[in-house]
């Protein structure tokens, strides 16, 4: 094979960048046999020039000037692994402007500036590939964009943040608190020093936003996503969920509805016997429901140097295989042809519909349950199951699940329940997804 | 969107063909938005012309002459859903000769004649797409061929036959015999009147053969696959497997080894806590181990009209999106560039290595176990676990698992064990896959 190598400029050679470098070197022969020509990182930009030089050992030109790499005439593809919104946006736009194809793992960037970036890429006739931005090594973008194109996709529900899945798994398996599990996750490297993006659900919302766009053919609209993290989850909620036949997972959900679609991230009770409930530790999985295919699931490592590099390099191979195709006949960035994206908006959370889990402390006296039931009935919310926990000192804990109801109605019901004299403190509410056909 | 429609000739409008027709009609708008132009079945060939006419209701030209459809100048893509080896081969080759792209769900055809078919397609510059040939609606061909291209794929292990997974699930959950479970599966439509291809593992071997070729960049070599079905599985083996922490699944396995690769289909004990062990009923799942990505799993419906149609239509969209690309720069049929396929042969089963499960009836007297252990030790096979079942009438049943050993050594050990005076009848042997990282 003597074809000219595709020349790649790598922006950022930290964890994922280092993994990309390593895998591309190690599997060079196999990757070339697949791609039809060698793929070589010939330029690297990193703030830490010394580290970059040590890693690349003379095999690539190293600089601290990322824009120089982006504009170098010999570079065919720019890989953006810097992260963040500002500099990354400028670099990606500059690369597109210079006619380079772009591969990025930057979900935050695409969730916030994706519409702009993809429009510019379209104008310039270059590809922006982002398999690594969602669920690490799992080829879920490709599955949604190409593998399931026959389907009207009804919903997507994913465990798409490894940190929170690790924490929730620890809380369930060992009964520890969120705070304990987080500290351990940080010690083990599963959570960052500032875990906000992960534990508050923001990272998952970035990814769910991208999947929603591809699944439904709508603009990227992170600003409309409902986002709720796992910081307030208590061990007893994990245990009660279990008792009711559920398991608690942080899900990113995109669901088609009349007149719009739901886009939400929150802790979710899922049936314990569903395959998704059994995705543990830092693993990721995305469940997709299509009208023809039914439920499909895609499982694997959602983070880490080499799993993420796996997705980055798959994109490099894709670009290498297809870059000579005329831009009109490439796979569209967001699965739907650019002129076929529909201006459909994500519904506000108040218009979303879910079943709920409610936990509340009440005075242990007759008639309390009847009062609560009456409030729910007034909002046309019906109860699916109920357990009452060990009354002690005249106080009982009621845990119940409801059938599907509108969020606004549930909010009103919860507010009304909290005003009942027998109810003590706030109602804890979690949402349930049956993940049924 | 006013682009000219892609015109499809459909060969066979039975279960999958009917599903393809239906889904393509129902989701026409969404599919067009993705593909960039309409995809229309304009000609249908079926032996049952009346049924075909009733289904298509005037929207397509119907004939019983499949060759006429293949050669019709207005047809861009031929969808082959006839099945079988002979006529299907002639039709697919005629379509390629006529410069048509081909989409097929015919795993048997490709497993047996794939090398010839793909070579001819390459010469003529047309695409032959076959996502529907493996695991129905699960986009596993795309995942292996495009989504995991960064990886040196170490092994693939899949539940790729729904009939046998349904039967094994029934045997486990309800303790019924293979014969009972098969009869029920036939009554429910999960098994055909002649279930040979499914229960003897042949269908799974066709699929495993195709996955091996794509995973490792080797020719298609069904004739070298080791194939063992589930007809001799007894309920007690299902139960003992469970007791030892395993679950019994029919797996199609392709595993890279020094100097070749293993290609085998057989009932397999897998760890009960592995996600793959929890794929039940008629569902399919394929586990792929790549050196960079680690383990990934792809799950969904492996058969049925619409799940299979989902894959057929995804291929139609792929062809529509990419048919203008010059043939040198399309995604290669078998993942590796045609001139980069290596003539590596599947190893004979005697050279494969697995851990084993052994069950044998012995005379219940001291020293028997020592004799058996000695035989195994002579072949350097070590025991992992052992249970001895309720001795009755001077007869006991020994169930043991061994560590990994060469098949030939295990065969010699079993033959030697069967000659021991204390051992009654034949040794039952099943293989174990730890599915470990």
């Amino acid at each position: 094979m003597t074809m000219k190598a595709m020349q790649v400029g790598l922006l950022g050679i930290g964890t994922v960048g280092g993994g990309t470098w390593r895998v591309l070197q190690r599997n060079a022969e196999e990757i070339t046999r697949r791609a039809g020509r060698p793929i070589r990182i010939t330029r690297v930009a990193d703030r830490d020039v010394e580290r970059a030089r040590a890693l690349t050992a003379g095999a690539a030109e190293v600089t601290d000037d990322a824009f120089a790499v982006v504009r170098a005439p010999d570079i065919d593809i720019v890989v953006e692994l810097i992260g963040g919104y500002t500099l990354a946006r400028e670099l990606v736009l500059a690369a597109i402007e210079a006619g380079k194809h772009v591969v990025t793992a930057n979900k935050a960037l695409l969730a916030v500036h994706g519409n702009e970036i993809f429009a510019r890429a379209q104008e310039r006739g270059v590809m922006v590939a982002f398999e690594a931005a969602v669920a690490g090594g799992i080829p879920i973008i490709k599955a949604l964009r190409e593998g399931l194109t026959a389907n009207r996709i009804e919903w997507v529900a994913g465990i798409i943040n490894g940190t929170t899945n690790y924490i929730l798994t620890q809380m369930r398996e060992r009964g520890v608190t969120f705070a304990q599990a987080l500290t351990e996750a940080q010690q083990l490297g599963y959570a960052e020093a500032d875990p906000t993006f992960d534990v508050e659900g923001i990272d998952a919302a970035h990814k769910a936003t991208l999947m929603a766009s591809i699944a439904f053919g709508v603009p990227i609209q992170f600003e409309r996503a409902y986002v709720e993290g796992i910081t307030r989850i208590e061990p007893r909620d994990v245990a009660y969920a279990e008792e009711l036949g559920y398991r608690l997972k942080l899900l990113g959900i995109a669901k088609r509805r009349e007149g719009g679609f739901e886009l939400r991230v929150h802790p979710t009770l899922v049936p314990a016997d569903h395959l998704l409930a059994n995705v543990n530790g830092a693993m990721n999985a995305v469940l997709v429901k299509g009208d023809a295919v039914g439920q499909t699931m895609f499982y694997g490592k959602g983070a880490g140097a080499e799993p993420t590099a796996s997705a980055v390099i798959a994109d490099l191979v894709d670009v290498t295989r297809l870059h000579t195709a005329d831009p009109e006949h490439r796979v569209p960035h967001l699965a739907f042809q650019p002129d076929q994206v529909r201006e459909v908006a994500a519904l506000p959370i108040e218009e979303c519909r879910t079943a709920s889990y409610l936990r509340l402390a009440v005075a242990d006296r007759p008639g309390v349950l009847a009062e609560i039931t009456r409030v729910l009935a007034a909002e046309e919310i019906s109860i699916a199951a109920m357990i009452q926990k060990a009354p002690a000192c005249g106080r009982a804990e009621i845990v119940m699940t409801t059938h599907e109801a509108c969020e606004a109605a549930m909010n009103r019901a919860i507010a009304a329940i909290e005003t009942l004299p027998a109810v003590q403190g706030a109602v804890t509410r979690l949402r349930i997804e049956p993940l049924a056909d």
Side-chain angles (χ1 to χ4, degrees), chain A:
Chain A
M1 196 166 294
T2 51
M3 289 184 98
K4 188 178 161 293
M6 286 295 271
Q7 304 206 45
V8 177
L10 177 63
L11 313 184
I13 192 161
T15 303
V16 175
T20 301
W21 175 271
R22 193 163 60 243
V23 174
L24 211 42
Q25 298 274 322
R26 186 175 72 223
N27 293 345
E29 193 225 343
E30 200 126 344
I31 291 167
T32 305
R33 287 173 60 205
R34 291 185 176 114
R37 59 174 70 193
I39 298 172
R40 287 207 193 101
I41 297 173
T42 52
R43 293 180 184 272
V44 174
D46 201 286
R47 279 182 304 193
D48 189 341
V49 170
E50 288 318 306
R51 183 187 59 176
R53 288 228 170 88
L55 261 167
T56 54
E61 201 72 34
V62 173
T63 174
D64 63 357
D65 181 358
F67 284 97
V69 170
V70 160
R71 291 179 186 131
D74 53 344
I75 291 298
D76 303 302
I77 312 175
V78 170
V79 175
E80 185 275 304
L81 299 175
I82 289 179
Y85 306 90
T86 312
L87 179 61
R89 173 177 163 275
E90 286 171 29
L91 286 165
V92 166
L93 289 174
I96 292 168
E97 213 48 56
K100 319 289 191 192
H101 303 290
V102 174
V103 172
T104 177
N106 193 335
K107 55 225 84 167
L109 174 69
L110 294 179
V112 174
H113 299 294
N115 295 321
E116 176 191 18
I117 288 168
F118 291 120
R120 295 282 281 278
Q122 193 63 27
E123 285 163 25
R124 286 292 282 132
V126 298
M127 291 179 259
V128 174
F130 57 103
E131 185 61 81
V134 181
I138 307 172
I140 182 64
I141 297 298
K142 184 168 279 284
L144 285 169
R145 195 181 54 200
E146 304 165 37
L148 301 172
T149 47
N151 294 269
R152 186 174 162 86
I153 292 175
E154 297 173 2
W155 47 261
V156 176
I159 297 171
I160 45 181
N161 180 275
T163 304
T164 47
N165 202 44
Y166 178 84
I167 290 171
L168 290 173
T169 301
Q170 293 302 311
M171 288 179 73
R172 182 178 82 83
E173 289 180 354
R174 296 169 39 229
V176 296
T177 64
F178 167 78
Q180 284 174 285
L182 172 60
T183 304
E184 291 172 12
Q186 287 171 319
Q187 285 160 355
L188 290 164
Y190 287 123
E192 297 185 47
D194 177 358
T196 311
F197 260 45
D198 292 319
V199 300
E200 295 294 359
I202 301 162
D203 174 74
H206 287 149
K207 296 165 180 168
T209 299
L210 296 173
M211 291 199 290
S213 174
I214 297 180
F216 305 139
V218 299
I220 297 166
Q221 38 198 299
F222 173 64
E223 68 286 359
R224 289 180 184 271
Y226 174 79
V227 190
E228 179 183 321
I230 63 164
T231 56
R232 282 167 304 173
I233 299 294
E234 294 185 26
R236 57 184 162 171
D237 291 315
V238 175
Y240 293 157
E242 204 77 11
E243 203 174 325
L244 289 159
Y246 293 97
R247 210 157 280 175
L248 201 49
K249 295 289 180 188
L250 182 72
L251 294 192
I253 297 166
K255 189 181 283 191
R256 195 188 285 269
R257 290 280 187 197
E258 279 299 311
F261 67 96
E262 301 182 355
L263 177 56
R264 46 192 167 88
V265 170
H266 49 70
T268 314
L269 277 71
V270 297
D273 61 356
H274 195 289
L275 211 55
L276 193 68
N278 293 286
V279 171
N280 292 319
M283 299 306 284
N284 278 203
V286 179
L287 194 63
V288 183
K289 172 72 187 339
D291 69 338
V293 77
Q295 290 192 18
T296 53
M297 196 176 93
F298 303 84
Y299 163 91
K301 286 182 181 153
E306 294 209 357
T308 310
S310 173
V312 168
I313 297 169
D315 278 346
L316 288 172
V317 173
D318 257 8
V319 172
T320 301
R321 282 170 168 170
L322 300 174
H323 74 287
T324 63
D326 70 295
E328 291 299 300
H329 284 89
R330 287 195 196 120
V331 177
H333 290 120
L334 297 175
F336 289 73
Q337 301 292 327
D339 61 348
Q340 293 296 315
V341 171
R342 297 278 158 81
E343 288 294 332
V344 176
L347 297 168
I349 185 69
E350 290 72 23
E351 294 177 34
C352 294
R353 294 182 62 81
T354 65
S356 291
Y357 159 104
L358 304 177
R359 173 171 56 79
L360 53 163
V362 297
D364 184 28
R365 58 167 175 75
V368 175
L369 194 57
E371 292 172 37
I372 293 165
T373 311
R374 213 158 22 235
V375 172
L376 290 168
E379 292 290 351
E380 300 190 334
I381 297 166
S382 61
I383 294 170
M386 209 271 293
I387 46 181
Q388 184 149 349
K389 298 313 271 188
C393 316
R395 200 162 173 271
E397 195 158 49
I398 291 175
V399 181
M400 55 175 63
T401 57
T402 74
H403 290 292
E404 192 179 280
C406 170
E407 181 92 5
M410 183 54 83
N411 287 346
R412 286 191 299 268
I414 288 172
I417 289 169
E418 286 176 345
T419 65
L420 293 176
V423 172
Q424 302 167 352
V427 173
T428 296
R429 177 256 304 272
L430 296 166
R431 297 173 190 83
I432 300 174
E433 287 294 332
L435 306 176
D437 275 329

